[in-house]
Structure formats: C-alpha cells, structure tokens
Amino acid sequence: MKVVDLKNKVRTVLTILLFVSVLGARAEAELFTRTQYLLGTYVNIMIWHDGETEKVEKAATDAFAEIRRIESVFSIYKPDSEISKINREAGGSLIPVSAETFEMLQKAVAIAEETEGAFDITFAGAGKLYDFQSKDPQVPTQKMIDKALFAVGISQLQLDDGNRRASLASAGAKIDLGGFIKGYCVDKASQVIIKQGFGDCIVNAGGDMFVSGKKGKKYWKIGIRNPTGSRDDLSATLSVRDMAVVTSGDYERFFEKDGIRYHHIIDPRTGRPARKCKSVTVLAKKVIDADYLATAVFVLGPEKGLALIEKKSDAQVFIIDDQMKWYFSKGFKKSCSFSTTR
Ligand code: AMP
Ligand code: MG
C-alpha cells in the first residue's frame, strides 16, 4: 500500500513537473523576424513573443500588406498610383483623390511652410534630373537645373478642398512624397502589429523605425551607422521604447562622379544634393514626423536644423555634419540612453 502510494505520489509529482515544463516551453520568449523588399528598401519586422508563432506570422503578414497598400497609392514608380496620376496631369486638370491622399498632400503643404521650403514634395521637379538607378548616371547642367527650378515650390500644388481634388500648376512640376511616406507606412504597420496583441516589436524600413515595448527585460538597442563607414560600422547606439527613430543619410541612395557624391536628398532652393550634413537622426512620437524632420534638418544643416527641432516639444535630433562634427538637441541624450563608440 505504501509502495503504491509512493508510486502514485512520484507519478503525480512527475506529471506536475512535466506540465510545468510544457507550460514553460510554451511561455518561452522568442524573436520573430521577417524582411521584405518594399518601398525601394528592405523592410524588417521583429516581434518579441511568447511562442505564438501562427499569430505572430499573421500580424507580420498583415503589416507587410498594409505597407504594400500604401505603396500602391503613393509610389511615383507605380504608374497607377494616385501620385503618378497627378504627376502625369501636371499643368492640366484637377484629379480626384482619396481622403488618405488628400490628407497627406495637406500635410505636405503644412510641412513646406513649417520648414520654409526645405522639405517640399515639389523638389521632384528638379530631383528627377538625378537618376540613381541608371548604370551611367549623369550630373545635370546648371541650365537644366535652372529650368527645372521654375516648377519647384509648394505653390505648384493646387488643392481643391471642397471636391477633394489635386493638381500641379506647371507642366514640368512633379511631386514625390518619399520624404515622409516610408515613415507613414511604418506607423501604420506598427499599429497593425500592436493591435493584434504584440506590443514588443520593431518595424524598420531602411532606417525609418518604430520601436515598441521591449525585448524581454531589456530595451531594444538601435545602432546609428557611421556615415563614412561600412554598413556594420556604428557611430553610436541608443535604447528607446515606444518611440520613432529615423535616420536620413547621404549613403542611402547616391552615385559618384569625379569624386563627388550625388545623393537623394535635394535642396529645393538649389536643385542640388544638400551638402551640410552626412547623417541626421530624429526621435519623435510618430515615424511620419521623425521622417520629414530628418529630411528637413538634412537640407537646413546643423544650425537651422537644430533651431527647427528645438521649437518642437516632442522631437530630438542628432546631426553629423559634412565635417563629421556632432550636434545634439538639448534633450536628445536624456531621451534615449545614448552611447558612443568613439
Ligand atoms: P529620407 O531618406 O527620408 O531623408 O528621404 C529621402 C527621400 O525624400 C528622397 O528619396 C526623396 O524621395 C525625398 N526628398 C528628397 N529631398 C527632399 C526635399 N527637399 N523635400 C522633400 N522630400 C525630399
Ligand atoms: Mg525622411
């Protein structure tokens, strides 16, 4: 009897142990990561979860689908996008657009005013003279630039609020929302993942990211690239949670001719690549805001760029200028556990 009892006890204990260990295995946290090529860059999603593989997979799939949806509306590389239609009709009639597009165009006008034209989606009238995809890219002549600049300026964009229509005043005008749409995509994709119950995640579209929650007990750690080094060479790292982190750099898209780098951030006043910065990192609540601010500060340069950021209550900036000199807004280091390797 005693022996049987003991056996039963041992069995019960073993069963409990097994149950606990199965539960433990199920509750073991894991890192899920997926990358897709979208928006002309690699979009990476990382989710820290407790073994809910199928649900995580679905959340990431839905998030990528949301980015693909937004890309089909705003891309200048897709002929059927609403933005391509506006560009094709430049100098012609008003085009009816969706509420989402109209909202983004209104935001673009407000940003152009706030940044005194440093961030201006009509930069593309001159930006189109630089072909970063070409095998034999050409540097435009001053004559070409001067001609193109006639069609640059936010007053080119005409918005008909009553009927939700948009058009461009001159035939040579062009808009490109690439300076903040990546950020908008990251905001929307992160919301999809968070709403499905995964609050610990990062969505990163080629340097535009939203950092949500934590990676287990630790904060997510973000690397800031050395703009003159290789992809893995970092200038600094920072740790944040529930925050947008966006870096604009002159190394993202460029070609070189006669030892000069021609990159993708264009000063709308000169029609040439902006020269005062090498890298600008902005922290903000929303990625769309961090995105436009990083591009605007890049164009404005350290002095005016810092002044723009200091005026805002909820944004911080770290700038590396063309001489590799570093600048920080007043609250930057406090807001992100900044640490440097230099
Ligand atoms: P980012 O990498 O976020 O700085 O964005 C660079 C992208 O913004 C470029 O590829 C263009 O699509 C767009 N862009 C470049 N210069 C400007 C500018 N001055 N104003 C608004 N958008 C710009
Ligand atoms: Mg940007």
Side-chain angles (χ1 to χ4, degrees), residues 37-41 43 67 70-71 181-183 185-186 205 253:
Y37 193 79
L38 291 162
L39 305 164
T41 189
V43 180
I67 296 176
I70 299 169
E71 186 178 25
I181 277 299
K182 252 194 302 173
C185 285
V186 173
R253 205 168 293 163

Side-chain angles (χ1 to χ4, degrees), residues 118-120 123 176 178-179 248 252-253 264-266 268 291 295 299:
F119 186 105
D120 184 334
F123 84 94
D176 171 2
S248 284
E252 285 168 35
R253 205 168 293 163
H264 68 319
I265 302 173
I266 306 294
D291 197 2
T295 307
V299 171

Side-chain angles (χ1 to χ4, degrees), residues 119 178-180 182 208 246-248 265 288 290-296:
F119 186 105
F180 68 37
K182 252 194 302 173
D208 286 29
V246 171
T247 301
S248 284
I265 302 173
I288 187 171
D291 197 2
Y292 90 74
L293 287 168
T295 307

